[in-house]
Amino acid sequence: RIRKMGKYLLPALIIIAVCGLALLVFSFLRRLKITSEYKRILGENISCDQKTDAILKLSFPKKNIISNVSLPLTFRNENNRYADIEHILVGHGGVAVISSYDLHGSIDNPLEENWICYEKDGSPIEIENPLRINQGRMHGVETVLKHVGISGVPIHSVIVIPSKNTKFRYRREEILRAGQLLGKMSDLNKNKFLSGSEIRQTVNALNKFAVSAAPAENGGAVYDDMTKEQ
C-alpha cells in the first residue's frame, strides 16, 4: 500500500511544484508589466487628474473606482448641497477620496488657510486650500454611508500632484506625488478593515446616491468649490 501511495504521491508533488512555479512566474511578469506601464503613465504629458485615473485603473478593480461624481452633503431636504469628487477608491483599507491638482513651483500649504503658490518669477497665486476642500468631499462620503446604515469605515484624504519638483513648506501625509500614489493605495489596502462583501456594499451605496459630474478642468479644479447647489 505504501508503494502504491508513493507511486501517486511523487507525480502529485511535481504537479503542485510546477503550478506553484507557474504562479510565481505569472505574478512576476504581471508586476513587471504594471511597473513598466506605471512609468509610462508618469512620463506622459497629460494632466494630473488623467494620470491619477490611469494609475488607479492600472492596479485596482475598476468596479471599486468611482470617478467624477457628486455626493449629497445632507438628506434633509430636496435642495441638497453636493460635493464634487474626482476619484473614490474603495478597498480593504477603507475609502480613499482622491483629488488631483496641477501645482508647480514652491507652495506655502498651511492646514486651514488658503495656499499660496509661487511661480518661477516669484509672483504669488492664492488658491483655496485643497485639504479643506477634501474634508467636504469626505463628508459627502460619510453622509451617504451613514444614511444607509454603514458605519466605522475609514475615510482617507489623498491629494495628488504631478511633479516631484514641486516644493511644499509643510510636509503633509495626505499630499502625494503621482509617483507615490500606487504605493500609498497598496499600503492602505493591506489593512483589512473591510471584507470583500463590505467593499461591495460600500461601493453600491456610494453609486446609488452619486450624481455624474463633469471632470475637473486642468487636471484638478484648483479653484473648485467644495459644494454645489443641486
Side-chain angles (χ1 to χ4, degrees):
R1 178 177 289 182
I2 294 176
R3 284 184 180 178
K4 194 172 183 180
M5 287 178 61
K7 179 180 178 182
Y8 297 105
L9 182 60
L10 183 58
L13 291 175
I14 293 174
I15 291 172
I16 292 172
V18 170
C19 290
L21 181 60
L23 186 61
L24 286 174
V25 171
F26 174 79
S27 179
F28 173 76
L29 292 176
R30 184 176 183 276
R31 194 178 300 115
L32 198 64
K33 182 180 179 181
I34 289 176
T35 302
S36 176
E37 186 67 10
Y38 190 41
K39 290 180 179 179
R40 183 192 66 78
I41 293 170
L42 293 176
E44 281 193 337
N45 185 25
I46 55 178
S47 70
C48 188
D49 182 57
Q50 290 173 313
K51 286 185 180 181
T52 298
D53 184 67
I55 289 170
L56 292 177
K57 290 178 179 177
L58 174 67
S59 305
F60 302 98
K62 292 182 180 179
K63 62 183 179 181
N64 293 349
I65 303 169
I66 305 170
S67 299
N68 299 316
V69 297
S70 297
L71 292 178
L73 290 165
T74 177
F75 286 94
R76 293 175 185 171
N77 53 59
E78 294 180 358
N79 298 318
N80 288 338
R81 296 166 64 206
Y82 282 68
D84 292 339
I85 305 176
E86 293 168 32
H87 301 289
I88 299 172
L89 175 64
V90 184
H92 292 293
V95 178
V97 178
I98 305 169
S99 300
S100 306
Y101 293 84
D102 280 315
L103 299 178
H104 303 275
S106 298
I107 301 171
D108 185 359
N109 58 321
L111 197 59
E112 296 292 339
E113 295 80 14
N114 286 346
W115 289 7
I116 305 296
C117 301
Y118 294 93
E119 300 289 319
K120 289 183 179 180
D121 60 2
S123 57
I125 299 176
E126 183 174 345
I127 66 171
E128 188 174 354
N129 190 324
L131 299 175
R132 194 170 61 229
I133 293 175
N134 237 29
Q135 286 298 317
R137 292 167 174 167
M138 293 168 68
H139 179 62
V141 172
E142 184 180 18
T143 297
V144 168
L145 297 183
K146 184 178 180 180
H147 183 72
V148 299
I150 298 176
S151 61
V153 177
I155 303 174
H156 309 278
S157 175
V158 180
I159 306 295
V160 183
I161 59 170
S163 175
K164 62 182 179 180
N165 297 321
T166 303
K167 297 179 180 179
F168 290 91
R169 181 177 180 182
Y170 303 104
R171 183 176 180 179
R172 309 287 185 200
E173 184 179 347
E174 58 264 60
I175 301 175
L176 306 175
R177 270 69 176 177
Q180 299 173 307
L181 179 60
L182 181 58
K184 178 69 173 181
M185 294 301 96
S186 297
D187 287 344
L188 282 179
N189 242 3
K190 291 177 182 177
N191 300 315
K192 304 300 182 182
F193 288 109
L194 299 181
S195 64
S197 61
E198 289 172 329
I199 290 173
R200 289 191 295 273
Q201 185 182 14
T202 302
V203 170
N204 290 339
L206 294 173
N207 277 324
K208 180 179 179 179
F209 293 98
V211 178
S212 294
E217 295 181 2
N218 197 29
V222 176
Y223 303 100
D224 185 25
D225 291 330
M226 183 181 77
T227 63
K228 71 176 184 180
E229 297 296 336
Q230 182 82 355

